[in-house]
Amino acid sequence: MAVDRISGRGDELEAIEALLKEVRSGAGRALVLRGEPGAGKSTLLEYAARRAAPARVLSATGAEPESGMAFAALHQLLRPVAGLADALPGAQRDAVRAALGIAEPAAAQDRFLVAAGVLSLLAEAAVPGGLVCVVDDFQWVDQASADALLFAARRFGSDGAGLLIGTRDTPGTRQALRTLPAMDLAGLDAGSAREVLAAGMKGVAGTAAGPAPAVVDALTAATGGNPLALSETAGLLTAEQLAGRAPLPDPLPLGDGMAGVYGGQIARLPEDTRLVLLVAALEGRGDVRLIRAAGERLGASPDALYAAEAAGVVEIRPAEVRFRHPLIRAAVHAGAGPAARRAVHGHLAALLSEAGDRDRAARHRAEAATGPDEEIAAELAAAGDRAGTRGGYADAAGMLSWAAELTPDEPARARRLKDTAAAAWLGGHPGRAQSALAAARELAEDPVLLAEIAQLSGRFELSSGNAAEALRAFLTAAERAAAHTLPPDAGSAGGPPSPHGAADASHSPRTGAARRVVLALLADAAEAASYVGDTDAAVRIGSRAAELAPAPGAPAGPEDAADTDTDTAADAFLRDILTGMGAWHSGDTDGGARLLRRALAAVPDNNNDNNNDNNNGDDSRQAAHLLWAAAAASLLGESDAAARHGARAGRVAKVSGMVGTLPVVLENAATAERMNSNIALSIALSQEGLALARETGLDNSAAAHLANLAVCAAVRGQEDDCRAYAHEALAIAIPHRLGLRAAVASYALGLLDLGLGRHDRAHERLMALTTAGPGAGHPVVVWGSTADRVEAAVAAGDHTAARAATGFLQQWSAHATSPRARAVLARCQALVADDVTAPALLRQALALLDTGDDRDATAYERARTALLLGERLRRARRAGEARPHLRDAAETFHRLGAAPWERRAQGELRAAGETTDPAGPALLETLTAQELRIARLVAEGVSNKDVAARLFLSPRTVEYHLYKVYPKLGITSRTELARLLR
């Protein structure tokens, strides 16, 4: 390629050189080059590939026929380094190998797990001299490959990997690439255009002097300075025209007419050459053997492909055919009739079937179809299912949608449209998912399918829309499913009488399966009711769940007994949770507590939390069980148990690679760590969850993480951050009727006021939580904020409200047995007690918080209690007794970064007669969120490789961060790190 083809691209060349320099130095960078066809993107990318040494270069080019094939571009890009996948963490290795077709997936892969594996693989390939990935024609790259590459590019740090992308500027690509630095390739100016024209004129007799200035100006204006158009036009004009001695043709063969120029060039080729070019245009990958074989079956000469190369239309590289420019491929495609294209697709499908490439064969058979065909539709749907299993959900949605179009039977088409919606949602395309689901709903008649459609619709709404609407949809679907799929009184034992009658349902072989459909819908409804804070709905759900108990005498069945009237352990657990919650909210706290305790007793221990066996189905079920257990413990007033279960759910999800559900699981894990006094880790988890939620379009999960970040900022007295997080959370939560998230965000603002000594304002905000209805408030948050509400009320002088809040907590905690629950109650009782009784109650609370193995987890509560005890003792002129408690509180608050509370404790210490010096920064505060997440896992004994798997990083990035963590903390080993973080 001649250097003068890069005329006028000085800024772009400088940017490319800067990227290459950073990659060679070990940094990570990405750059997007945008422009119209012929703007010179490919030329610049080829320049970058030549200049990259000593960095390794991987390249791929998007092809329109392959744009719907999941991971097609990724396979092209990573094929030379696929052997390095063995060095990846287990879950990432298996996901990447499955995506590249090297191995069958053991279970359905999440698209972000594949992306994390791609990041790690690129980091491995970058050793030792760096790596540059060059991807051209990105507008045609399949969605699965695009998702994985962009996920990796956004996380390039110290891996020495770079990504250069060339793309046409379409709305889709601009949106997809919005987070990466980009340069738009404008048209060349007249000076640069003259250089391009002069290069194109070489060899044309009589043009030694170059083009005339007036001709340069005319052609620059006509082409918009497009380099390809200028170069091609120089070869189409005569020497007299270029020199300005003859008029230019009118119209000029430029701009949109370039395709016509190529079309004319193709039309002049022999028939069998045109035929083999059509095969190459439709085949997509440039497979020489496949193209020649298909051409020969169609009657083309074996030498036809070489004739096309001799004509300058294609280039034949080892085992690959490439068109000289995408516009040529487009011209070949446009010049062939529909019948000719269908014939080529048919032969390609036959050859690919013979070669065992089922997915590509299915696509070509679909292209060859002349109307609905169930056999072809089934093959295409199977290919879509396989793409989804590998994590290519967006491309799977495209194939499933296409299969639905080719399905002649309406019920089957409805199911495929429903599957399309699920895949589109998992692939990050909610609008497409909603459209497919609406189409499925129009066609569906089967009650079970209608229930599944309603459940999907509700899940979509619960993830990103109105939680109250999701609740309504789930409840309606559950009742319809029960009416249409369960026999009358299908096992009403164990609950209230059924409205459907009293017939014995034990004869039905499908009662168990139908019951599980209804139970799953009720569980979704309960989750939605929890988000909204609708206790009336929880009562209704509990009543319906109680009706689903199996008939008397029905045996407990195995977990996979889907079509029998048996009760699995999972069924019993979930029914106990839902029924117990309903009973609790109805006022039957004794009955509700009994059922909730029975469910909690069935939660497995944590022996296998760190066992990464890739059993995603079991892991998903275990994580769900733990989240329900956390909700049950909250109702029982046991925040410590709730925190323990929530943290475990996060660990299970991380280990198993459940990234699709991870933002939601991390909501609970982050809250759990905050409740366990791990403020810094809670922040890190919510930051990670927030990023994933935003990448996946889970607005409601984003609101949860924002609300938790607001509370953490309140604890630390970071007023601007707290208000920003809280207001952003409320902006999502209020219109979406997320009472739980709105209540947490409002609580954060009240806690901020309390910590900063604005007691009247804190009292007002915290009291408002108690009267906020569904969609704006939540009973669990009212319970969880009681201790702060009592303290604010006492400080504001409203002792009546303080006593009422204490009474409320005593009633709520009546069934709580944990030391922490009893300690918080004792602290509240002390706040409303006289000066004689209060110290004893506060000492009792401290003793309860010091019991068991939970001491670190109760650090924040202990410090708050010690501060109150020290204040009471100092006011009683017992300064000597007060100082140790105040000192412990100040030191703990400092360690947690709870600055306003530390200042209050330090002020009390000075008032008690002790001179205090401002403490230095807490060691953990010197770490970034990423460094803290890595340090925590390493301290738990997790290997660098498994840390990478859990945090979606490369192992080399983990090593890089550890090299920074050790000197920051003043340590040199993992043992010291574990000791410090304990």
Side-chain angles (χ1 to χ4, degrees), residues 859-881:
Y860 178 65
E861 294 295 346
R862 279 190 295 106
R864 291 279 299 270
T865 306
L867 174 58
L868 291 170
L869 177 56
E871 289 175 336
R872 281 288 185 124
L873 291 172
R874 186 191 66 76
R875 286 201 298 273
R877 302 183 183 280
R878 297 157 66 179
E881 294 178 58

Side-chain angles (χ1 to χ4, degrees), residues 754-772:
L754 180 62
L756 295 177
R758 300 191 288 252
H759 298 126
D760 289 342
R761 184 62 175 148
H763 178 42
E764 179 184 344
R765 285 190 187 277
L766 295 172
M767 283 299 294
L769 291 174
T770 66
T771 57

